[in-house]
PDB file of all heavy atoms in Angstrom:
ATOM      1  N   PRO A  24       0.828  -1.222   0.000  1.00 51.00           N
ATOM      2  CA  PRO A  24       0.000   0.000   0.000  1.00 51.00           C
ATOM      3  C   PRO A  24       0.849   1.253   0.000  1.00 51.00           C
ATOM      4  O   PRO A  24       1.973   1.261   0.494  1.00 51.00           O
ATOM      5  CB  PRO A  24      -0.797  -0.131   1.307  1.00 51.00           C
ATOM      6  CG  PRO A  24      -0.795  -1.596   1.619  1.00 51.00           C
ATOM      7  CD  PRO A  24       0.509  -2.117   1.116  1.00 51.00           C
ATOM      8  N   LEU A  25       0.271   2.325  -0.574  1.00 45.00           N
ATOM      9  CA  LEU A  25       0.979   3.601  -0.652  1.00 45.00           C
ATOM     10  C   LEU A  25       1.381   4.091   0.728  1.00 45.00           C
ATOM     11  O   LEU A  25       2.448   4.673   0.900  1.00 45.00           O
ATOM     12  CB  LEU A  25       0.093   4.643  -1.342  1.00 45.00           C
ATOM     13  CG  LEU A  25       0.703   6.015  -1.570  1.00 45.00           C
ATOM     14  CD1 LEU A  25       1.947   5.903  -2.447  1.00 45.00           C
ATOM     15  CD2 LEU A  25      -0.311   6.955  -2.199  1.00 45.00           C
ATOM     16  N   SER A  26       0.524   3.829   1.732  1.00 47.00           N
ATOM     17  CA  SER A  26       0.852   4.280   3.083  1.00 47.00           C
ATOM     18  C   SER A  26       2.120   3.627   3.588  1.00 47.00           C
ATOM     19  O   SER A  26       2.902   4.215   4.327  1.00 47.00           O
ATOM     20  CB  SER A  26      -0.311   3.977   4.036  1.00 47.00           C
ATOM     21  OG  SER A  26      -0.568   2.571   4.050  1.00 47.00           O
ATOM     22  N   GLY A  27       2.343   2.359   3.148  1.00 46.00           N
ATOM     23  CA  GLY A  27       3.574   1.674   3.539  1.00 46.00           C
ATOM     24  C   GLY A  27       4.779   2.300   2.909  1.00 46.00           C
ATOM     25  O   GLY A  27       5.843   2.413   3.511  1.00 46.00           O
ATOM     26  N   ARG A  28       4.630   2.750   1.667  1.00 47.00           N
ATOM     27  CA  ARG A  28       5.735   3.411   0.987  1.00 47.00           C
ATOM     28  C   ARG A  28       6.085   4.734   1.652  1.00 47.00           C
ATOM     29  O   ARG A  28       7.230   5.127   1.726  1.00 47.00           O
ATOM     30  CB  ARG A  28       5.373   3.655  -0.475  1.00 47.00           C
ATOM     31  CG  ARG A  28       5.210   2.367  -1.282  1.00 47.00           C
ATOM     32  CD  ARG A  28       4.802   2.678  -2.703  1.00 47.00           C
ATOM     33  NE  ARG A  28       4.525   1.451  -3.431  1.00 47.00           N
ATOM     34  CZ  ARG A  28       4.031   1.430  -4.656  1.00 47.00           C
ATOM     35  NH1 ARG A  28       3.738   2.564  -5.277  1.00 47.00           N
ATOM     36  NH2 ARG A  28       3.816   0.287  -5.267  1.00 47.00           N
ATOM     37  N   LYS A  29       5.073   5.402   2.137  1.00 48.00           N
ATOM     38  CA  LYS A  29       5.327   6.673   2.803  1.00 48.00           C
ATOM     39  C   LYS A  29       6.240   6.500   3.998  1.00 48.00           C
ATOM     40  O   LYS A  29       7.033   7.380   4.330  1.00 48.00           O
ATOM     41  CB  LYS A  29       4.009   7.307   3.244  1.00 48.00           C
ATOM     42  CG  LYS A  29       3.179   7.886   2.095  1.00 48.00           C
ATOM     43  CD  LYS A  29       1.933   8.541   2.628  1.00 48.00           C
ATOM     44  CE  LYS A  29       1.116   9.132   1.485  1.00 48.00           C
ATOM     45  NZ  LYS A  29      -0.127   9.756   1.978  1.00 48.00           N
ATOM     46  N   ASN A  30       6.138   5.339   4.620  1.00 51.00           N
ATOM     47  CA  ASN A  30       7.006   5.095   5.774  1.00 51.00           C
ATOM     48  C   ASN A  30       8.471   5.114   5.382  1.00 51.00           C
ATOM     49  O   ASN A  30       9.326   5.517   6.157  1.00 51.00           O
ATOM     50  CB  ASN A  30       6.657   3.753   6.429  1.00 51.00           C
ATOM     51  CG  ASN A  30       5.306   3.799   7.131  1.00 51.00           C
ATOM     52  OD1 ASN A  30       4.883   4.879   7.543  1.00 51.00           O
ATOM     53  ND2 ASN A  30       4.648   2.658   7.246  1.00 51.00           N
ATOM     54  N   ILE A  31       8.757   4.649   4.163  1.00 49.00           N
ATOM     55  CA  ILE A  31      10.145   4.652   3.696  1.00 49.00           C
ATOM     56  C   ILE A  31      10.658   6.087   3.584  1.00 49.00           C
ATOM     57  O   ILE A  31      11.745   6.418   4.038  1.00 49.00           O
ATOM     58  CB  ILE A  31      10.260   3.946   2.322  1.00 49.00           C
ATOM     59  CG1 ILE A  31       9.854   2.473   2.461  1.00 49.00           C
ATOM     60  CG2 ILE A  31      11.682   4.055   1.768  1.00 49.00           C
ATOM     61  CD1 ILE A  31       9.819   1.728   1.146  1.00 49.00           C
ATOM     62  N   PHE A  32       9.837   6.977   2.981  1.00 49.00           N
ATOM     63  CA  PHE A  32      10.289   8.338   2.754  1.00 49.00           C
ATOM     64  C   PHE A  32      10.238   9.205   4.007  1.00 49.00           C
ATOM     65  O   PHE A  32      10.752  10.313   4.005  1.00 49.00           O
ATOM     66  CB  PHE A  32       9.470   8.977   1.624  1.00 49.00           C
ATOM     67  CG  PHE A  32       9.736   8.357   0.298  1.00 49.00           C
ATOM     68  CD1 PHE A  32       8.859   7.409  -0.219  1.00 49.00           C
ATOM     69  CD2 PHE A  32      10.875   8.673  -0.423  1.00 49.00           C
ATOM     70  CE1 PHE A  32       9.127   6.817  -1.438  1.00 49.00           C
ATOM     71  CE2 PHE A  32      11.141   8.079  -1.641  1.00 49.00           C
ATOM     72  CZ  PHE A  32      10.264   7.139  -2.153  1.00 49.00           C
ATOM     73  N   SER A  33       9.596   8.663   5.053  1.00 54.00           N
ATOM     74  CA  SER A  33       9.634   9.374   6.324  1.00 54.00           C
ATOM     75  C   SER A  33      10.801   8.899   7.182  1.00 54.00           C
ATOM     76  O   SER A  33      10.976   9.351   8.309  1.00 54.00           O
ATOM     77  CB  SER A  33       8.317   9.173   7.086  1.00 54.00           C
ATOM     78  OG  SER A  33       8.154   7.805   7.437  1.00 54.00           O
ATOM     79  N   HIS A  34      11.596   7.992   6.603  1.00 53.00           N
ATOM     80  CA  HIS A  34      12.763   7.463   7.322  1.00 53.00           C
ATOM     81  C   HIS A  34      13.735   8.602   7.639  1.00 53.00           C
ATOM     82  O   HIS A  34      13.896   9.532   6.842  1.00 53.00           O
ATOM     83  CB  HIS A  34      13.453   6.411   6.451  1.00 53.00           C
ATOM     84  CG  HIS A  34      14.477   5.614   7.179  1.00 53.00           C
ATOM     85  ND1 HIS A  34      15.754   6.043   7.351  1.00 53.00           N
ATOM     86  CD2 HIS A  34      14.379   4.417   7.798  1.00 53.00           C
ATOM     87  CE1 HIS A  34      16.435   5.143   8.032  1.00 53.00           C
ATOM     88  NE2 HIS A  34      15.620   4.139   8.315  1.00 53.00           N
ATOM     89  N   PRO A  35      14.385   8.566   8.780  1.00 57.00           N
ATOM     90  CA  PRO A  35      15.321   9.638   9.164  1.00 57.00           C
ATOM     91  C   PRO A  35      16.399   9.923   8.130  1.00 57.00           C
ATOM     92  O   PRO A  35      16.856  11.053   8.006  1.00 57.00           O
ATOM     93  CB  PRO A  35      15.925   9.113  10.465  1.00 57.00           C
ATOM     94  CG  PRO A  35      14.855   8.239  11.037  1.00 57.00           C
ATOM     95  CD  PRO A  35      14.189   7.580   9.865  1.00 57.00           C
ATOM     96  N   VAL A  36      16.807   8.896   7.378  1.00 53.00           N
ATOM     97  CA  VAL A  36      17.840   9.109   6.347  1.00 53.00           C
ATOM     98  C   VAL A  36      17.360  10.119   5.323  1.00 53.00           C
ATOM     99  O   VAL A  36      18.076  11.040   4.943  1.00 53.00           O
ATOM    100  CB  VAL A  36      18.208   7.777   5.662  1.00 53.00           C
ATOM    101  CG1 VAL A  36      19.142   8.029   4.480  1.00 53.00           C
ATOM    102  CG2 VAL A  36      18.840   6.822   6.647  1.00 53.00           C
ATOM    103  N   PHE A  37      16.125   9.930   4.869  1.00 55.00           N
ATOM    104  CA  PHE A  37      15.573  10.840   3.867  1.00 55.00           C
ATOM    105  C   PHE A  37      15.370  12.230   4.453  1.00 55.00           C
ATOM    106  O   PHE A  37      15.599  13.242   3.797  1.00 55.00           O
ATOM    107  CB  PHE A  37      14.255  10.289   3.324  1.00 55.00           C
ATOM    108  CG  PHE A  37      14.409   9.042   2.507  1.00 55.00           C
ATOM    109  CD1 PHE A  37      14.122   7.799   3.049  1.00 55.00           C
ATOM    110  CD2 PHE A  37      14.853   9.109   1.194  1.00 55.00           C
ATOM    111  CE1 PHE A  37      14.278   6.650   2.302  1.00 55.00           C
ATOM    112  CE2 PHE A  37      15.009   7.959   0.434  1.00 55.00           C
ATOM    113  CZ  PHE A  37      14.726   6.714   0.989  1.00 55.00           C
ATOM    114  N   ARG A  38      14.908  12.289   5.691  1.00 58.00           N
ATOM    115  CA  ARG A  38      14.698  13.589   6.323  1.00 58.00           C
ATOM    116  C   ARG A  38      16.031  14.339   6.483  1.00 58.00           C
ATOM    117  O   ARG A  38      16.117  15.542   6.261  1.00 58.00           O
ATOM    118  CB  ARG A  38      14.013  13.407   7.686  1.00 58.00           C
ATOM    119  CG  ARG A  38      12.581  12.903   7.580  1.00 58.00           C
ATOM    120  CD  ARG A  38      11.794  13.246   8.846  1.00 58.00           C
ATOM    121  NE  ARG A  38      12.364  12.628  10.018  1.00 58.00           N
ATOM    122  CZ  ARG A  38      12.023  11.421  10.480  1.00 58.00           C
ATOM    123  NH1 ARG A  38      11.111  10.709   9.825  1.00 58.00           N
ATOM    124  NH2 ARG A  38      12.576  10.937  11.573  1.00 58.00           N
ATOM    125  N   ALA A  39      17.065  13.603   6.884  1.00 59.00           N
ATOM    126  CA  ALA A  39      18.384  14.230   7.039  1.00 59.00           C
ATOM    127  C   ALA A  39      18.898  14.760   5.711  1.00 59.00           C
ATOM    128  O   ALA A  39      19.426  15.868   5.615  1.00 59.00           O
ATOM    129  CB  ALA A  39      19.370  13.232   7.631  1.00 59.00           C
ATOM    130  N   ALA A  40      18.716  13.937   4.652  1.00 59.00           N
ATOM    131  CA  ALA A  40      19.185  14.348   3.330  1.00 59.00           C
ATOM    132  C   ALA A  40      18.452  15.603   2.863  1.00 59.00           C
ATOM    133  O   ALA A  40      19.049  16.514   2.287  1.00 59.00           O
ATOM    134  CB  ALA A  40      18.985  13.212   2.327  1.00 59.00           C
ATOM    135  N   ALA A  41      17.133  15.660   3.138  1.00 58.00           N
ATOM    136  CA  ALA A  41      16.351  16.829   2.727  1.00 58.00           C
ATOM    137  C   ALA A  41      16.816  18.084   3.438  1.00 58.00           C
ATOM    138  O   ALA A  41      16.940  19.151   2.834  1.00 58.00           O
ATOM    139  CB  ALA A  41      14.871  16.578   3.012  1.00 58.00           C
ATOM    140  N   VAL A  42      17.102  17.957   4.738  1.00 56.00           N
ATOM    141  CA  VAL A  42      17.578  19.108   5.507  1.00 56.00           C
ATOM    142  C   VAL A  42      18.915  19.587   4.978  1.00 56.00           C
ATOM    143  O   VAL A  42      19.151  20.788   4.798  1.00 56.00           O
ATOM    144  CB  VAL A  42      17.680  18.756   7.002  1.00 56.00           C
ATOM    145  CG1 VAL A  42      18.388  19.872   7.759  1.00 56.00           C
ATOM    146  CG2 VAL A  42      16.297  18.521   7.585  1.00 56.00           C
ATOM    147  N   ILE A  43      19.818  18.639   4.706  1.00 59.00           N
ATOM    148  CA  ILE A  43      21.157  18.992   4.224  1.00 59.00           C
ATOM    149  C   ILE A  43      21.069  19.680   2.864  1.00 59.00           C
ATOM    150  O   ILE A  43      21.716  20.697   2.613  1.00 59.00           O
ATOM    151  CB  ILE A  43      22.046  17.742   4.139  1.00 59.00           C
ATOM    152  CG1 ILE A  43      22.340  17.225   5.553  1.00 59.00           C
ATOM    153  CG2 ILE A  43      23.357  18.046   3.413  1.00 59.00           C
ATOM    154  CD1 ILE A  43      22.984  15.862   5.579  1.00 59.00           C
ATOM    155  N   LEU A  44      20.236  19.135   1.963  1.00 56.00           N
ATOM    156  CA  LEU A  44      20.088  19.742   0.640  1.00 56.00           C
ATOM    157  C   LEU A  44      19.512  21.147   0.744  1.00 56.00           C
ATOM    158  O   LEU A  44      19.920  22.052   0.013  1.00 56.00           O
ATOM    159  CB  LEU A  44      19.181  18.869  -0.240  1.00 56.00           C
ATOM    160  CG  LEU A  44      19.804  17.564  -0.752  1.00 56.00           C
ATOM    161  CD1 LEU A  44      18.758  16.725  -1.466  1.00 56.00           C
ATOM    162  CD2 LEU A  44      20.983  17.853  -1.678  1.00 56.00           C
ATOM    163  N   LEU A  45      18.556  21.330   1.664  1.00 55.00           N
ATOM    164  CA  LEU A  45      17.968  22.655   1.844  1.00 55.00           C
ATOM    165  C   LEU A  45      18.999  23.650   2.348  1.00 55.00           C
ATOM    166  O   LEU A  45      19.078  24.791   1.872  1.00 55.00           O
ATOM    167  CB  LEU A  45      16.805  22.574   2.833  1.00 55.00           C
ATOM    168  CG  LEU A  45      16.076  23.890   3.130  1.00 55.00           C
ATOM    169  CD1 LEU A  45      15.474  24.465   1.846  1.00 55.00           C
ATOM    170  CD2 LEU A  45      14.993  23.673   4.164  1.00 55.00           C
ATOM    171  N   LEU A  46      19.837  23.213   3.292  1.00 53.00           N
ATOM    172  CA  LEU A  46      20.878  24.091   3.818  1.00 53.00           C
ATOM    173  C   LEU A  46      21.879  24.464   2.730  1.00 53.00           C
ATOM    174  O   LEU A  46      22.298  25.612   2.618  1.00 53.00           O
ATOM    175  CB  LEU A  46      21.601  23.407   4.985  1.00 53.00           C
ATOM    176  CG  LEU A  46      20.811  23.300   6.293  1.00 53.00           C
ATOM    177  CD1 LEU A  46      21.548  22.407   7.273  1.00 53.00           C
ATOM    178  CD2 LEU A  46      20.580  24.673   6.904  1.00 53.00           C
ATOM    179  N   LEU A  47      22.262  23.472   1.925  1.00 50.00           N
ATOM    180  CA  LEU A  47      23.236  23.742   0.856  1.00 50.00           C
ATOM    181  C   LEU A  47      22.655  24.682  -0.191  1.00 50.00           C
ATOM    182  O   LEU A  47      23.335  25.588  -0.674  1.00 50.00           O
ATOM    183  CB  LEU A  47      23.678  22.425   0.211  1.00 50.00           C
ATOM    184  CG  LEU A  47      24.552  21.517   1.079  1.00 50.00           C
ATOM    185  CD1 LEU A  47      24.792  20.184   0.386  1.00 50.00           C
ATOM    186  CD2 LEU A  47      25.879  22.193   1.412  1.00 50.00           C
ATOM    187  N   ALA A  48      21.386  24.460  -0.540  1.00 49.00           N
ATOM    188  CA  ALA A  48      20.746  25.335  -1.534  1.00 49.00           C
ATOM    189  C   ALA A  48      20.667  26.764  -1.022  1.00 49.00           C
ATOM    190  O   ALA A  48      20.951  27.715  -1.755  1.00 49.00           O
ATOM    191  CB  ALA A  48      19.351  24.812  -1.864  1.00 49.00           C
ATOM    192  N   SER A  49      20.310  26.919   0.238  1.00 48.00           N
ATOM    193  CA  SER A  49      20.230  28.263   0.830  1.00 48.00           C
ATOM    194  C   SER A  49      21.597  28.931   0.837  1.00 48.00           C
ATOM    195  O   SER A  49      21.722  30.127   0.589  1.00 48.00           O
ATOM    196  CB  SER A  49      19.698  28.169   2.266  1.00 48.00           C
ATOM    197  OG  SER A  49      18.402  27.628   2.263  1.00 48.00           O
ATOM    198  N   SER A  50      22.630  28.126   1.103  1.00 49.00           N
ATOM    199  CA  SER A  50      23.985  28.668   1.123  1.00 49.00           C
ATOM    200  C   SER A  50      24.398  29.186  -0.239  1.00 49.00           C
ATOM    201  O   SER A  50      24.985  30.256  -0.371  1.00 49.00           O
ATOM    202  CB  SER A  50      24.969  27.583   1.587  1.00 49.00           C
ATOM    203  OG  SER A  50      26.291  28.049   1.519  1.00 49.00           O
ATOM    204  N   TRP A  51      24.056  28.434  -1.300  1.00 44.00           N
ATOM    205  CA  TRP A  51      24.438  28.860  -2.643  1.00 44.00           C
ATOM    206  C   TRP A  51      23.668  30.097  -3.076  1.00 44.00           C
ATOM    207  O   TRP A  51      24.211  30.989  -3.725  1.00 44.00           O
ATOM    208  CB  TRP A  51      24.210  27.713  -3.639  1.00 44.00           C
ATOM    209  CG  TRP A  51      25.359  26.774  -3.669  1.00 44.00           C
ATOM    210  CD1 TRP A  51      25.415  25.526  -3.147  1.00 44.00           C
ATOM    211  CD2 TRP A  51      26.653  27.023  -4.215  1.00 44.00           C
ATOM    212  NE1 TRP A  51      26.662  24.982  -3.331  1.00 44.00           N
ATOM    213  CE2 TRP A  51      27.433  25.867  -3.987  1.00 44.00           C
ATOM    214  CE3 TRP A  51      27.232  28.112  -4.864  1.00 44.00           C
ATOM    215  CZ2 TRP A  51      28.752  25.773  -4.399  1.00 44.00           C
ATOM    216  CZ3 TRP A  51      28.548  28.020  -5.284  1.00 44.00           C
ATOM    217  CH2 TRP A  51      29.288  26.861  -5.049  1.00 44.00           C
ATOM    218  N   VAL A  52      22.384  30.170  -2.714  1.00 44.00           N
ATOM    219  CA  VAL A  52      21.607  31.366  -3.043  1.00 44.00           C
ATOM    220  C   VAL A  52      22.227  32.590  -2.388  1.00 44.00           C
ATOM    221  O   VAL A  52      22.387  33.643  -3.007  1.00 44.00           O
ATOM    222  CB  VAL A  52      20.134  31.200  -2.592  1.00 44.00           C
ATOM    223  CG1 VAL A  52      19.396  32.537  -2.687  1.00 44.00           C
ATOM    224  CG2 VAL A  52      19.433  30.158  -3.449  1.00 44.00           C
ATOM    225  N   LEU A  53      22.600  32.453  -1.120  1.00 45.00           N
ATOM    226  CA  LEU A  53      23.237  33.557  -0.402  1.00 45.00           C
ATOM    227  C   LEU A  53      24.566  33.928  -1.048  1.00 45.00           C
ATOM    228  O   LEU A  53      24.897  35.110  -1.190  1.00 45.00           O
ATOM    229  CB  LEU A  53      23.455  33.156   1.062  1.00 45.00           C
ATOM    230  CG  LEU A  53      24.208  34.174   1.925  1.00 45.00           C
ATOM    231  CD1 LEU A  53      23.407  35.469   2.040  1.00 45.00           C
ATOM    232  CD2 LEU A  53      24.469  33.597   3.317  1.00 45.00           C
ATOM    233  N   LEU A  54      25.329  32.922  -1.460  1.00 44.00           N
ATOM    234  CA  LEU A  54      26.636  33.171  -2.077  1.00 44.00           C
ATOM    235  C   LEU A  54      26.494  33.964  -3.370  1.00 44.00           C
ATOM    236  O   LEU A  54      27.186  34.955  -3.586  1.00 44.00           O
ATOM    237  CB  LEU A  54      27.337  31.834  -2.353  1.00 44.00           C
ATOM    238  CG  LEU A  54      28.740  31.905  -2.963  1.00 44.00           C
ATOM    239  CD1 LEU A  54      29.720  32.559  -1.995  1.00 44.00           C
ATOM    240  CD2 LEU A  54      29.223  30.519  -3.353  1.00 44.00           C
ATOM    241  N   PHE A  55      25.575  33.540  -4.239  1.00 45.00           N
ATOM    242  CA  PHE A  55      25.397  34.229  -5.518  1.00 45.00           C
ATOM    243  C   PHE A  55      24.839  35.627  -5.321  1.00 45.00           C
ATOM    244  O   PHE A  55      25.185  36.545  -6.058  1.00 45.00           O
ATOM    245  CB  PHE A  55      24.476  33.414  -6.437  1.00 45.00           C
ATOM    246  CG  PHE A  55      25.090  32.127  -6.899  1.00 45.00           C
ATOM    247  CD1 PHE A  55      24.353  30.951  -6.912  1.00 45.00           C
ATOM    248  CD2 PHE A  55      26.412  32.076  -7.298  1.00 45.00           C
ATOM    249  CE1 PHE A  55      24.925  29.760  -7.334  1.00 45.00           C
ATOM    250  CE2 PHE A  55      26.991  30.888  -7.709  1.00 45.00           C
ATOM    251  CZ  PHE A  55      26.239  29.725  -7.734  1.00 45.00           C
ATOM    252  N   TYR A  56      23.977  35.804  -4.321  1.00 42.00           N
ATOM    253  CA  TYR A  56      23.439  37.135  -4.050  1.00 42.00           C
ATOM    254  C   TYR A  56      24.538  38.062  -3.536  1.00 42.00           C
ATOM    255  O   TYR A  56      24.667  39.201  -3.990  1.00 42.00           O
ATOM    256  CB  TYR A  56      22.320  37.041  -3.012  1.00 42.00           C
ATOM    257  CG  TYR A  56      21.821  38.391  -2.539  1.00 42.00           C
ATOM    258  CD1 TYR A  56      20.985  39.159  -3.337  1.00 42.00           C
ATOM    259  CD2 TYR A  56      22.205  38.898  -1.295  1.00 42.00           C
ATOM    260  CE1 TYR A  56      20.535  40.397  -2.911  1.00 42.00           C
ATOM    261  CE2 TYR A  56      21.755  40.134  -0.865  1.00 42.00           C
ATOM    262  CZ  TYR A  56      20.927  40.871  -1.681  1.00 42.00           C
ATOM    263  OH  TYR A  56      20.496  42.096  -1.257  1.00 42.00           O
ATOM    264  N   ARG A  57      25.332  37.561  -2.595  1.00 52.00           N
ATOM    265  CA  ARG A  57      26.367  38.388  -1.994  1.00 52.00           C
ATOM    266  C   ARG A  57      27.415  38.810  -3.016  1.00 52.00           C
ATOM    267  O   ARG A  57      27.943  39.922  -2.955  1.00 52.00           O
ATOM    268  CB  ARG A  57      27.036  37.632  -0.841  1.00 52.00           C
ATOM    269  CG  ARG A  57      28.172  38.396  -0.175  1.00 52.00           C
ATOM    270  CD  ARG A  57      28.712  37.623   1.012  1.00 52.00           C
ATOM    271  NE  ARG A  57      29.923  38.209   1.543  1.00 52.00           N
ATOM    272  CZ  ARG A  57      29.972  39.244   2.361  1.00 52.00           C
ATOM    273  NH1 ARG A  57      28.846  39.806   2.743  1.00 52.00           N
ATOM    274  NH2 ARG A  57      31.114  39.716   2.807  1.00 52.00           N
ATOM    275  N   TYR A  58      27.719  37.934  -3.963  1.00 52.00           N
ATOM    276  CA  TYR A  58      28.778  38.227  -4.925  1.00 52.00           C
ATOM    277  C   TYR A  58      28.243  38.556  -6.316  1.00 52.00           C
ATOM    278  O   TYR A  58      28.865  38.222  -7.319  1.00 52.00           O
ATOM    279  CB  TYR A  58      29.765  37.055  -4.975  1.00 52.00           C
ATOM    280  CG  TYR A  58      30.570  36.970  -3.701  1.00 52.00           C
ATOM    281  CD1 TYR A  58      30.216  36.095  -2.688  1.00 52.00           C
ATOM    282  CD2 TYR A  58      31.655  37.811  -3.492  1.00 52.00           C
ATOM    283  CE1 TYR A  58      30.931  36.041  -1.499  1.00 52.00           C
ATOM    284  CE2 TYR A  58      32.378  37.765  -2.309  1.00 52.00           C
ATOM    285  CZ  TYR A  58      32.002  36.871  -1.323  1.00 52.00           C
ATOM    286  OH  TYR A  58      32.710  36.837  -0.148  1.00 52.00           O
ATOM    287  N   ASP A  59      27.106  39.226  -6.362  1.00 67.00           N
ATOM    288  CA  ASP A  59      26.581  39.731  -7.627  1.00 67.00           C
ATOM    289  C   ASP A  59      27.208  41.103  -7.882  1.00 67.00           C
ATOM    290  O   ASP A  59      26.999  42.036  -7.092  1.00 67.00           O
ATOM    291  CB  ASP A  59      25.069  39.856  -7.557  1.00 67.00           C
ATOM    292  CG  ASP A  59      24.503  40.512  -8.804  1.00 67.00           C
ATOM    293  OD1 ASP A  59      24.714  39.978  -9.892  1.00 67.00           O
ATOM    294  OD2 ASP A  59      23.882  41.581  -8.682  1.00 67.00           O
ATOM    295  N   PRO A  60      27.990  41.268  -8.959  1.00 72.00           N
ATOM    296  CA  PRO A  60      28.704  42.536  -9.198  1.00 72.00           C
ATOM    297  C   PRO A  60      27.791  43.750  -9.259  1.00 72.00           C
ATOM    298  O   PRO A  60      28.097  44.798  -8.681  1.00 72.00           O
ATOM    299  CB  PRO A  60      29.408  42.296 -10.539  1.00 72.00           C
ATOM    300  CG  PRO A  60      29.532  40.820 -10.647  1.00 72.00           C
ATOM    301  CD  PRO A  60      28.300  40.271  -9.987  1.00 72.00           C
ATOM    302  N   ASP A  61      26.672  43.631  -9.970  1.00 73.00           N
ATOM    303  CA  ASP A  61      25.778  44.782 -10.108  1.00 73.00           C
ATOM    304  C   ASP A  61      25.203  45.183  -8.751  1.00 73.00           C
ATOM    305  O   ASP A  61      25.089  46.377  -8.447  1.00 73.00           O
ATOM    306  CB  ASP A  61      24.651  44.444 -11.087  1.00 73.00           C
ATOM    307  CG  ASP A  61      23.731  45.630 -11.317  1.00 73.00           C
ATOM    308  OD1 ASP A  61      24.177  46.614 -11.941  1.00 73.00           O
ATOM    309  OD2 ASP A  61      22.574  45.590 -10.864  1.00 73.00           O
ATOM    310  N   ARG A  62      24.845  44.206  -7.929  1.00 78.00           N
ATOM    311  CA  ARG A  62      24.298  44.521  -6.613  1.00 78.00           C
ATOM    312  C   ARG A  62      25.342  45.219  -5.746  1.00 78.00           C
ATOM    313  O   ARG A  62      25.044  46.198  -5.052  1.00 78.00           O
ATOM    314  CB  ARG A  62      23.832  43.236  -5.908  1.00 78.00           C
ATOM    315  CG  ARG A  62      23.180  43.501  -4.551  1.00 78.00           C
ATOM    316  CD  ARG A  62      23.017  42.218  -3.765  1.00 78.00           C
ATOM    317  NE  ARG A  62      24.314  41.649  -3.430  1.00 78.00           N
ATOM    318  CZ  ARG A  62      25.075  42.056  -2.424  1.00 78.00           C
ATOM    319  NH1 ARG A  62      24.695  43.078  -1.668  1.00 78.00           N
ATOM    320  NH2 ARG A  62      26.226  41.486  -2.168  1.00 78.00           N
ATOM    321  N   ILE A  63      26.584  44.727  -5.789  1.00 81.00           N
ATOM    322  CA  ILE A  63      27.651  45.328  -4.983  1.00 81.00           C
ATOM    323  C   ILE A  63      27.873  46.780  -5.407  1.00 81.00           C
ATOM    324  O   ILE A  63      27.987  47.681  -4.575  1.00 81.00           O
ATOM    325  CB  ILE A  63      28.952  44.517  -5.128  1.00 81.00           C
ATOM    326  CG1 ILE A  63      28.773  43.136  -4.478  1.00 81.00           C
ATOM    327  CG2 ILE A  63      30.132  45.251  -4.491  1.00 81.00           C
ATOM    328  CD1 ILE A  63      29.926  42.197  -4.742  1.00 81.00           C
TER     329      ILE A  63
END
């Protein structure tokens, strides 16, 4: 059942990976914003 599959994606491994990817994405957005020549 689909509900059983959801248990897999609620596994801590997936949650940790999602958090890490979100942090990395936020970091890159900040990096590109901070070092935009026109903005500076």
Side-chain angles (χ1 to χ4, degrees):
L25 183 60
S26 59
R28 294 178 185 174
K29 287 182 179 179
N30 290 334
I31 297 175
F32 292 100
S33 65
H34 192 276
V36 173
F37 292 101
R38 292 202 299 270
V42 171
I43 292 169
L44 287 173
L45 180 60
L46 287 171
L47 290 174
S49 298
S50 176
W51 276 106
V52 169
L53 176 64
L54 182 65
F55 292 136
Y56 173 76
R57 178 176 171 81
Y58 290 98
D59 174 59
D61 183 69
R62 183 193 65 80
I63 292 172

